[in-house]
Amino acid sequence: MSVYTDIHSHILPGVDDGSKNMEETLALLKLCYEEGTRRIFATPHYVPGHKSASPEHLRKLRTEVAEKIKETYPDMELYGGNEIYYKEGVVKDVKAGKVLTLADTDYCLVEFNTRLEYKKIFHAVKEFTEAGYRPILAHVERYDCLYQQSELIEDLIDAGAYIQINAESLLGGLFDRHSKYVQKILKDGLVHFIGSDCHRLDFRKPRMGSVFQKIKNEAVKEEIEEIMAVNVEKLLKNEWV
Ligand SMILES: [Fe+2]
């Protein structure tokens, strides 16, 4: 079985709309492990102007969870981060240390209102890159302005953006209409990272391996291998992908 890195999850207990408590966190981690995930980034929501957990609290929680993981799954690694909800000026919060970047690298996981207009997403990418960060656009398949607009995604990449999709979007489900499109952008080399975006046992479970096993298209499968073997390593070394 191949092993995977999940760069987007809400696995930390009691900090957002993800796992409710340590018991649920451990149950989710068990599922992650069974799905072939061996490295997972905990990326709780950070919403500017709202009460989000502090980096200190997140680090403490992550240490607690990591200790539990070590007991049961010594070959599993947990990394930190936030899923940053984009609002104009949020980069200042990142600069001020109020937000966690992915594994303390220059990579930031950034999400947008699904109806945000293209020029604002483009502006956001510029804001992050000009401040020295590498923005990863979370679940790009959800944004209306980018739907079936590969050339716009290419322009964002040229401007310094990285692209993340949710694994289960490859097969449909919650965002069914996107699955063909998601496989296409992956095949076309427009996707840099994949996450489960898992939340809870009863809402968006951590599907990775079980999704990938169902994919028939060879080009899509090759891209997934490349992402897991190459891109993730570069991210962890804080190198350009
Ligand atoms: Fe998320």
Side-chain angles (χ1 to χ4, degrees), residues 8-10 43 45 83 109 111 138-139 142 166 197-199 204:
H8 183 166
S9 80
H10 299 270
T43 54
H45 293 288
E83 180 180 14
L109 185 64
E111 78 163 326
H139 34 59
R142 286 194 201 167
N166 285 357
D197 197 8
C198 69
H199 275 68
R204 205 172 303 141

mmCIF file of all heavy atoms in Angstrom, residues 8-10 43 45 83 109 111 138-139 142 166 197-199 204, ligand 1:
data_model
loop_
_atom_site.group_PDB
_atom_site.id
_atom_site.type_symbol
_atom_site.label_atom_id
_atom_site.label_comp_id
_atom_site.label_asym_id
_atom_site.label_seq_id
_atom_site.Cartn_x
_atom_site.Cartn_y
_atom_site.Cartn_z
ATOM 1 N N HIS A 8 -4.290 18.876 4.876
ATOM 2 C CA HIS A 8 -5.446 19.692 5.284
ATOM 3 C C HIS A 8 -6.394 18.847 6.133
ATOM 4 O O HIS A 8 -7.035 17.928 5.627
ATOM 5 C CB HIS A 8 -6.140 20.198 4.000
ATOM 6 C CG HIS A 8 -7.299 21.105 4.239
ATOM 7 N ND1 HIS A 8 -7.836 21.872 3.215
ATOM 8 C CD2 HIS A 8 -8.024 21.395 5.336
ATOM 9 C CE1 HIS A 8 -8.848 22.576 3.696
ATOM 10 N NE2 HIS A 8 -8.990 22.296 4.971
ATOM 11 N N SER A 9 -6.453 19.146 7.435
ATOM 12 C CA SER A 9 -7.369 18.384 8.298
ATOM 13 C C SER A 9 -7.786 19.222 9.510
ATOM 14 O O SER A 9 -7.112 20.177 9.882
ATOM 15 C CB SER A 9 -6.681 17.111 8.801
ATOM 16 O OG SER A 9 -5.823 17.412 9.892
ATOM 17 N N HIS A 10 -8.906 18.837 10.071
ATOM 18 C CA HIS A 10 -9.424 19.524 11.274
ATOM 19 C C HIS A 10 -9.444 18.517 12.427
ATOM 20 O O HIS A 10 -10.461 18.254 13.040
ATOM 21 C CB HIS A 10 -10.791 20.136 10.964
ATOM 22 C CG HIS A 10 -10.709 21.140 9.864
ATOM 23 N ND1 HIS A 10 -10.467 22.472 10.100
ATOM 24 C CD2 HIS A 10 -10.733 20.984 8.516
ATOM 25 C CE1 HIS A 10 -10.371 23.105 8.929
ATOM 26 N NE2 HIS A 10 -10.536 22.227 7.963
ATOM 27 N N THR A 43 -4.802 21.548 10.503
ATOM 28 C CA THR A 43 -4.993 22.923 10.013
ATOM 29 C C THR A 43 -6.339 23.499 10.453
ATOM 30 O O THR A 43 -7.251 23.652 9.631
ATOM 31 C CB THR A 43 -4.885 22.954 8.468
ATOM 32 O OG1 THR A 43 -5.813 21.994 7.915
ATOM 33 C CG2 THR A 43 -3.491 22.619 7.990
ATOM 34 N N HIS A 45 -9.317 26.071 11.475
ATOM 35 C CA HIS A 45 -9.700 27.352 10.859
ATOM 36 C C HIS A 45 -9.125 28.527 11.639
ATOM 37 O O HIS A 45 -9.165 28.554 12.874
ATOM 38 C CB HIS A 45 -11.225 27.497 10.846
ATOM 39 C CG HIS A 45 -11.904 26.523 9.941
ATOM 40 N ND1 HIS A 45 -11.858 26.611 8.576
ATOM 41 C CD2 HIS A 45 -12.640 25.416 10.206
ATOM 42 C CE1 HIS A 45 -12.539 25.623 8.039
ATOM 43 N NE2 HIS A 45 -13.022 24.874 9.007
ATOM 44 N N GLU A 83 -5.833 26.772 8.603
ATOM 45 C CA GLU A 83 -6.516 27.080 7.342
ATOM 46 C C GLU A 83 -6.992 28.511 7.498
ATOM 47 O O GLU A 83 -7.884 28.799 8.302
ATOM 48 C CB GLU A 83 -7.686 26.122 7.099
ATOM 49 C CG GLU A 83 -8.414 26.426 5.796
ATOM 50 C CD GLU A 83 -9.584 25.480 5.527
ATOM 51 O OE1 GLU A 83 -10.011 24.745 6.447
ATOM 52 O OE2 GLU A 83 -10.074 25.487 4.393
ATOM 53 N N LEU A 109 -1.829 27.729 4.131
ATOM 54 C CA LEU A 109 -3.061 27.198 3.541
ATOM 55 C C LEU A 109 -4.144 28.276 3.667
ATOM 56 O O LEU A 109 -4.469 28.706 4.781
ATOM 57 C CB LEU A 109 -3.475 25.922 4.289
ATOM 58 C CG LEU A 109 -4.673 25.158 3.732
ATOM 59 C CD1 LEU A 109 -4.386 24.610 2.331
ATOM 60 C CD2 LEU A 109 -5.045 24.001 4.659
ATOM 61 N N GLU A 111 -8.028 29.760 2.522
ATOM 62 C CA GLU A 111 -9.329 29.501 1.896
ATOM 63 C C GLU A 111 -10.078 30.796 1.655
ATOM 64 O O GLU A 111 -9.826 31.808 2.298
ATOM 65 C CB GLU A 111 -10.170 28.525 2.720
ATOM 66 C CG GLU A 111 -10.842 29.124 3.920
ATOM 67 C CD GLU A 111 -11.982 28.246 4.456
ATOM 68 O OE1 GLU A 111 -12.679 27.584 3.676
ATOM 69 O OE2 GLU A 111 -12.164 28.255 5.676
ATOM 70 N N ALA A 138 -6.757 26.490 -0.704
ATOM 71 C CA ALA A 138 -7.426 25.297 -0.183
ATOM 72 C C ALA A 138 -8.615 24.918 -1.072
ATOM 73 O O ALA A 138 -9.317 25.794 -1.586
ATOM 74 C CB ALA A 138 -7.911 25.552 1.242
ATOM 75 N N HIS A 139 -8.838 23.629 -1.239
ATOM 76 C CA HIS A 139 -9.947 23.077 -2.049
ATOM 77 C C HIS A 139 -10.399 24.007 -3.174
ATOM 78 O O HIS A 139 -11.508 24.543 -3.160
ATOM 79 C CB HIS A 139 -11.142 22.663 -1.177
ATOM 80 C CG HIS A 139 -11.395 23.503 0.036
ATOM 81 N ND1 HIS A 139 -11.655 24.848 -0.042
ATOM 82 C CD2 HIS A 139 -11.409 23.184 1.350
ATOM 83 C CE1 HIS A 139 -11.822 25.306 1.181
ATOM 84 N NE2 HIS A 139 -11.672 24.330 2.045
ATOM 85 N N ARG A 142 -13.872 24.426 -5.101
ATOM 86 C CA ARG A 142 -15.101 25.035 -4.592
ATOM 87 C C ARG A 142 -15.363 26.443 -5.103
ATOM 88 O O ARG A 142 -16.447 26.970 -4.904
ATOM 89 C CB ARG A 142 -15.012 25.138 -3.068
ATOM 90 C CG ARG A 142 -15.192 23.827 -2.392
ATOM 91 C CD ARG A 142 -15.440 24.087 -0.926
ATOM 92 N NE ARG A 142 -15.145 22.914 -0.160
ATOM 93 C CZ ARG A 142 -15.035 22.904 1.156
ATOM 94 N NH1 ARG A 142 -15.178 24.024 1.832
ATOM 95 N NH2 ARG A 142 -14.771 21.794 1.793
ATOM 96 N N ASN A 166 -9.372 18.613 -2.420
ATOM 97 C CA ASN A 166 -9.758 17.614 -1.437
ATOM 98 C C ASN A 166 -9.833 16.256 -2.122
ATOM 99 O O ASN A 166 -10.420 16.133 -3.214
ATOM 100 C CB ASN A 166 -11.123 17.951 -0.831
ATOM 101 C CG ASN A 166 -11.036 19.094 0.164
ATOM 102 O OD1 ASN A 166 -9.955 19.604 0.447
ATOM 103 N ND2 ASN A 166 -12.176 19.497 0.693
ATOM 104 N N ASP A 197 -9.247 17.231 4.255
ATOM 105 C CA ASP A 197 -10.133 18.229 4.876
ATOM 106 C C ASP A 197 -11.095 17.551 5.848
ATOM 107 O O ASP A 197 -12.238 17.947 5.992
ATOM 108 C CB ASP A 197 -10.893 19.015 3.792
ATOM 109 C CG ASP A 197 -11.505 20.301 4.313
ATOM 110 O OD1 ASP A 197 -11.233 20.685 5.464
ATOM 111 O OD2 ASP A 197 -12.286 20.923 3.569
ATOM 112 N N CYS A 198 -10.618 16.478 6.491
ATOM 113 C CA CYS A 198 -11.513 15.729 7.379
ATOM 114 C C CYS A 198 -11.905 16.585 8.578
ATOM 115 O O CYS A 198 -11.121 17.398 9.074
ATOM 116 C CB CYS A 198 -10.869 14.420 7.822
ATOM 117 S SG CYS A 198 -9.482 14.593 8.937
ATOM 118 N N HIS A 199 -13.146 16.400 9.004
ATOM 119 C CA HIS A 199 -13.689 17.183 10.116
ATOM 120 C C HIS A 199 -14.046 16.304 11.312
ATOM 121 O O HIS A 199 -13.465 16.410 12.370
ATOM 122 C CB HIS A 199 -14.913 17.979 9.660
ATOM 123 C CG HIS A 199 -14.571 19.295 9.018
ATOM 124 N ND1 HIS A 199 -13.945 19.382 7.801
ATOM 125 C CD2 HIS A 199 -14.755 20.564 9.437
ATOM 126 C CE1 HIS A 199 -13.756 20.672 7.505
ATOM 127 N NE2 HIS A 199 -14.241 21.406 8.481
ATOM 128 N N ARG A 204 -17.458 14.439 6.750
ATOM 129 C CA ARG A 204 -16.219 14.425 5.972
ATOM 130 C C ARG A 204 -15.097 13.649 6.673
ATOM 131 O O ARG A 204 -14.179 14.204 7.252
ATOM 132 C CB ARG A 204 -15.763 15.834 5.628
ATOM 133 C CG ARG A 204 -14.898 15.784 4.375
ATOM 134 C CD ARG A 204 -14.551 17.129 3.820
ATOM 135 N NE ARG A 204 -15.710 17.929 3.522
ATOM 136 C CZ ARG A 204 -15.783 19.235 3.743
ATOM 137 N NH1 ARG A 204 -14.778 19.868 4.249
ATOM 138 N NH2 ARG A 204 -16.863 19.883 3.421
HETATM 139 FE FE FE B 1 -10.767 22.787 5.874
#
